[in-house]
Amino acid sequence: MNLPKVFKSLLAGTLLTIGLAGCGPTSSNTEDKAASTPTTAKNQEVNVYTARHYEVDQELFNKFTEATGIKVNVVKGEAEELIERLKREGESTQADLFVTVDGGVLANAKQNDILQPVTSETIDKNVPKNLRDADNNWIGLATRARIIAYSKDRVSPDQLSTYEDLTSDKWKGKLLVRSSTSLYNQSLLASFIELNGEEKAEQWAKGIVNNFARQPDGGDRDQAKAIAAGTGDVAIMNTYYVGLLANSKDPEEVKVANNIGVFFPNQETNGTHVNISGMGLTKHSKNKENAIKLIEYMTSVEAQEFLSAHNYEFPVNANAKKPELLNSWGDFKMQELNFDTLGEHNKKAIEIFNKTGWK
Ligand code: FE
């Protein structure tokens, strides 16, 4: 049979729910019954469009299914492509939840009118206000900081201070960072546009390009590897990649992680850049109750601790314990800005990158 994957999994979900309806718990007490099977058979699923590419998300979806019997059907894609798809599908969409990295993309999804507000006391309790959309059109799932990684052999942390300092002459030919096509860099620069203005943001980008150890190449992990290989001394990268390297099955990657230190810049000024992943209930969700249950689960202490322990992102739930490695980095001051601004300045950021020759 040549059915598209999503349709197949939807079909499987339907079959599963038919099965469940026939063998639910028998109880003579109707109240009990209502409490244990609050949804009708056809609602025992939730459909997720996700732009996050981490294994841990699927593991959490599986745990959610185990706990609730609600099947999670997943469609993966690029964020922009999924937003376009949701717009195109309109009322007929199967999607209940949109999940992505990047606050700018989340703001963009809201602006495109593909999301709707979520009302849940549990979610409001799980996630602090600054890590949710003002109208609960999206809810934070995890955060990561974009830090300076440095060679423990060649750099002492007291030589480091701010993102701005990375443009000074002392780092000439020593700075590593990935391409400007990465949303991570676009949002970093967008945050500088918001906090320092366009002119300073452009000066910064120019200064960074001047100090490149090489033309941008590879992802965040490759910058850490290039430090270990001696290509450069400092790199701009996301914290969770340091965690993934440190806990890799590949001993070479563990060695790379042992070679680098993590420095949180701008602690004396406006804080380290932090970006967020989030989940939004789609405007035309057909399984709204289940979708909200999934958001409640994903933001619970249990799920947040699992996510942080396996993907090394920071939990959004303040009661969730962080893994030892994240604790070892210590607390830090994060940039205080509305995540919406990352989306607002995205175009300008790309323009500046092009102008300053940051590939
Ligand atoms: Fe990533």
Side-chain angles (χ1 to χ4, degrees):
M1 202 157 47
N2 208 9
L3 288 172
K5 223 174 182 177
V6 55
F7 191 69
K8 268 190 210 165
S9 58
L10 286 175
L11 205 68
T14 313
L15 294 176
L16 178 77
T17 52
I18 292 167
L20 281 175
C23 59
T26 48
S27 167
S28 52
N29 184 327
T30 47
E31 233 177 74
D32 275 354
K33 208 168 186 176
S36 60
T37 51
T39 49
T40 56
K42 76 171 174 51
N43 285 337
Q44 292 297 331
E45 63 178 10
V46 56
N47 300 313
V48 178
Y49 282 8
T50 182
R52 273 173 56 98
H53 55 82
Y54 315 113
E55 257 171 62
V56 70
D57 290 20
Q58 187 56 53
E59 286 173 50
L60 283 169
F61 294 156
N62 294 346
K63 283 173 178 287
F64 172 76
T65 303
E66 265 167 49
T68 62
I70 300 166
K71 189 169 188 299
V72 183
N73 303 308
V74 177
V75 172
K76 281 188 186 171
E78 295 289 324
E80 295 309 318
E81 170 191 305
L82 292 175
I83 290 175
E84 282 312 308
R85 180 165 168 180
L86 277 158
K87 276 162 69 179
R88 198 173 59 236
E89 291 174 341
E91 278 178 39
S92 67
T93 191
Q94 301 273 22
D96 301 299
L97 272 188
F98 171 67
V99 182
T100 186
V101 298
D102 195 77
V105 172
L106 289 162
N108 190 15
K110 181 186 181 182
Q111 241 165 32
N112 275 287
D113 199 27
I114 53 166
L115 303 177
Q116 62 170 307
V118 168
T119 314
S120 158
E121 269 181 40
T122 305
I123 292 170
D124 291 353
K125 214 173 65 203
N126 285 351
V127 186
K129 256 200 169 132
N130 65 325
L131 302 179
R132 291 187 259 133
D133 169 56
D135 306 310
N136 272 3
N137 270 248
W138 57 262
I139 315 295
L141 171 62
T143 64
R144 67 279 299 271
R146 203 146 177 77
I147 50 91
I148 302 172
Y150 61 92
S151 160
K152 278 185 187 166
D153 299 335
R154 301 184 296 276
V155 177
S156 146
D158 48 66
Q159 291 173 270
L160 296 163
S161 58
T162 61
Y163 295 110
E164 291 77 14
D165 174 67
L166 292 178
T167 65
S168 75
D169 279 348
K170 69 177 184 223
W171 302 116
K172 197 152 188 80
K174 293 180 176 168
L175 176 63
L176 295 150
V177 63
R178 74 195 291 175
S179 159
S180 68
T181 55
S182 155
L183 201 51
Y184 302 153
N185 285 337
Q186 291 170 12
S187 285
L188 179 68
L189 188 58
S191 77
F192 297 159
I193 295 172
E194 174 66 19
L195 294 168
N196 313 326
E198 273 177 43
E199 207 176 305
K200 284 206 171 135
E202 187 176 324
Q203 273 169 20
W204 182 80
K206 211 188 222 163
I208 294 294
V209 172
N210 278 336
N211 285 347
F212 276 170
R214 61 167 185 199
Q215 282 303 308
D217 189 22
D220 277 8
R221 269 177 281 215
D222 296 305
Q223 313 316 312
K225 288 175 187 176
I227 290 180
T231 310
D233 288 350
V234 286
I236 300 171
M237 68 184 288
N238 284 346
T239 40
Y240 69 96
Y241 284 117
V242 180
L244 289 170
L245 286 169
N247 293 279
S248 169
K249 286 188 191 105
D250 179 350
E252 283 303 310
E253 293 200 329
V254 177
K255 232 161 101 185
V256 168
N258 289 335
N259 258 301
I260 59 169
V262 168
F263 185 85
F264 291 90
N266 295 53
Q267 291 303 288
E268 309 297 321
T269 58
N270 42 24
T272 299
H273 174 69
V274 165
N275 206 336
I276 193 163
S277 288
M279 307 165 280
L281 179 65
T282 64
K283 191 177 181 184
H284 300 291
S285 166
K286 316 290 188 294
N287 303 292
K288 197 170 153 177
E289 229 179 279
N290 290 346
I292 293 172
K293 272 189 201 161
L294 182 55
I295 301 176
E296 289 175 346
Y297 173 73
M298 295 298 277
T299 56
S300 69
V301 168
E302 181 202 329
Q304 287 283 302
E305 287 183 351
F306 188 87
L307 192 151
S308 193
H310 291 82
N311 213 40
Y312 310 98
E313 292 174 277
F314 296 107
V316 291
N317 188 322
N319 293 319
K321 287 193 203 78
K322 286 182 285 185
E324 198 34 53
L325 178 69
L326 273 60
N327 278 327
S328 76
W329 296 335
D331 288 329
F332 65 95
K333 175 176 154 188
M334 64 181 257
Q335 264 181 359
E336 261 176 60
L337 50 74
N338 188 326
F339 289 109
D340 292 359
T341 59
L342 303 182
E344 282 160 28
H345 299 307
N346 180 270
K347 251 201 179 135
K348 190 78 219 175
I350 293 172
E351 229 179 273
I352 291 175
F353 281 134
N354 288 337
K355 205 168 150 190
T356 53
W358 187 328
K359 268 211 316 193

